[in-house]
Structure formats: structure tokens, C-alpha cells
Amino acid sequence: MTSSIRYSAAKYLISACEIKGLPSDQGVEVAFIGRSNSGKSSALNTITGIKGLARTSSTPGRTQMINFFDLGQECRLVDLPGYGYAKVPKPLKEKWTRFTNDYLESRESLRGLVLVMDIRHPLKEQDWQIINWTAQCELPCHVLLTKVDKLKANKARSAHHQVVNELFDYDNVTVEVFSSQDRTGLAEVQSTLDEWFSESE
């Protein structure tokens, strides 16, 4: 496996709504997770440079299944359902949560988790739950603070530093700012993904 993945070669592979529908648990996967409306799907589209690869919507909660994107060389990007959207019916939210938890806890090919947060609203309760879970599992977690273009530079720096300070004791967590609008942080997140994929040779 090479250390540099061609993200522009990403292709939709499959969507699943239950564990038995997942693709074969071989190769390497990096999963993206975050609150609804955090910019998760937009981040995936920006990272790959493929508009519309991950479906975006003005209505939060659009990702209702686990979506897999093939990068070749048995490497995959995975788009997990968003969480925290109040208008989704409770039974459906509970189903998504169970399915997502089952995926995270059982998937052997999962090598890292990108936790997407709106830089204006970081570190909510469910974000902390995910961070603590990755720490317990010693799974690398890369926090992507999206929508940095919505803040003035000094406020963006302050928000970034605050999150970094709060996560200082987590050895498995890295943090960066990102914007799908102006591509801030694109090279950095691709470099992190490259490391995760290459370390799994």
C-alpha cells in the first residue's frame, strides 16, 4: 500500500442499514462522524474533490445509513449517520445509534475516526462520548473543526486553541481547523488520512 491515497478516485461502494449489510471486513477504513449539520458530508466531498460524493442537504440528519466509498487498494472512507438532530423521531435515532455503535465496536478494518464539529459549537456531550470511547479503544481520532470561514481569524484561533487545550490529555486525538468553502486545512486532513492508511500496510 502506498502512503498517498488518490482521494479523487473515490467511488461510492455501498450503503448499509444493518450490520449484515456491511462490506467485507478487510482492508482499511477511516470513518467520519459528527453532529448533524456539522459539515461532515461537505468535508468528505472537499477531501475527495468530488462534488456530491456524500449527499449534503439543508435538512440536517440526511445521512441515515452507513455509506462506504472505495479508494482502491482495499481502502475505504465511511460516512456514519449524524447525531444530535432533534427533529428525527426517537425510535429512528435509537436505531442509528445502535447501528453506529455496533459498527464502531466490531469493525476490525477501522483504523481511525474523523470527528467533525462546527467550530462555533464544539465539544458537545455526544462529541465527548465519542472522544472518550476512542481513547479507551486507543483508536486515533482527528477532530475537524469545520466552517472556520464563518469566524473572523482571531475568533477562529481562539476557538481552535480552546479545543486543543481541552483535549490536551488525549494522546490519541489531534485537532485542526477546516473549511469546505475555502479549502482551509485540506492538505492537513489528507496528510492525517495518508498516515492512517499507510500505517496499516
Side-chain angles (χ1 to χ4, degrees):
M1 184 183 301
T2 63
S3 62
S4 181
I5 300 294
R6 287 185 59 234
Y7 298 100
S8 61
K11 295 180 180 178
Y12 170 77
L13 180 62
I14 196 172
S15 297
C17 57
E18 52 187 5
I19 288 294
K20 67 180 181 181
L22 299 179
S24 177
D25 194 1
Q26 297 176 339
V28 184
E29 291 176 355
V30 172
F32 284 65
I33 194 168
R35 291 178 60 83
S36 296
N37 209 26
S38 64
K40 175 169 57 70
S41 296
S42 294
L44 274 164
N45 292 341
T46 301
I47 289 166
T48 59
I50 304 173
K51 184 177 181 180
L53 180 73
R55 296 175 66 186
T56 61
S57 173
S58 58
T59 303
R62 185 66 177 268
T63 304
Q64 300 180 10
M65 297 186 288
I66 297 182
N67 300 311
F68 293 80
F69 304 100
D70 183 24
L71 296 171
Q73 307 178 74
E74 288 198 321
C75 295
R76 294 174 296 277
L77 296 175
V78 183
D79 188 10
L80 297 172
Y83 52 82
Y85 183 49
K87 292 185 179 180
V88 174
K90 185 176 180 180
L92 185 55
K93 283 198 289 188
E94 291 174 348
K95 178 184 177 182
W96 292 354
T97 300
R98 286 195 303 271
F99 183 32
T100 301
N101 289 346
D102 288 346
Y103 167 83
L104 291 173
E105 293 174 1
S106 67
R107 198 70 173 167
E108 300 267 337
S109 52
L110 181 63
R111 292 296 186 273
L113 194 65
V114 178
L115 176 53
V116 182
M117 302 181 202
D118 185 328
I119 192 170
R120 300 166 298 178
H121 312 289
L123 296 174
K124 299 297 185 182
E125 180 181 356
Q126 286 172 297
D127 300 326
W128 278 114
Q129 290 173 0
I130 291 167
I131 289 166
N132 286 321
W133 176 82
T134 63
Q136 291 170 6
C137 299
E138 298 183 340
L139 181 72
C141 177
H142 188 62
V143 172
L144 206 61
L145 297 173
T146 60
K147 306 187 182 183
V148 67
D149 55 282
K150 304 289 187 183
L151 294 179
K152 292 183 178 179
N154 59 335
K155 287 190 175 182
R157 281 193 297 270
S158 177
H160 179 216
H161 290 156
Q162 181 177 347
V163 172
V164 169
N165 288 337
E166 291 199 50
L167 297 175
F168 181 78
D169 292 330
Y170 290 82
D171 294 336
N172 68 308
V173 179
T174 50
V175 183
E176 72 154 297
V177 297
F178 185 84
S179 169
S180 293
Q181 192 71 27
D182 60 23
R183 297 161 64 90
T184 297
L186 176 58
E188 289 83 353
V189 68
Q190 288 178 335
S191 178
T192 296
L193 298 180
D194 283 349
E195 289 181 19
W196 290 352
F197 284 122
S198 65
E199 286 173 0
S200 302
E201 291 181 349

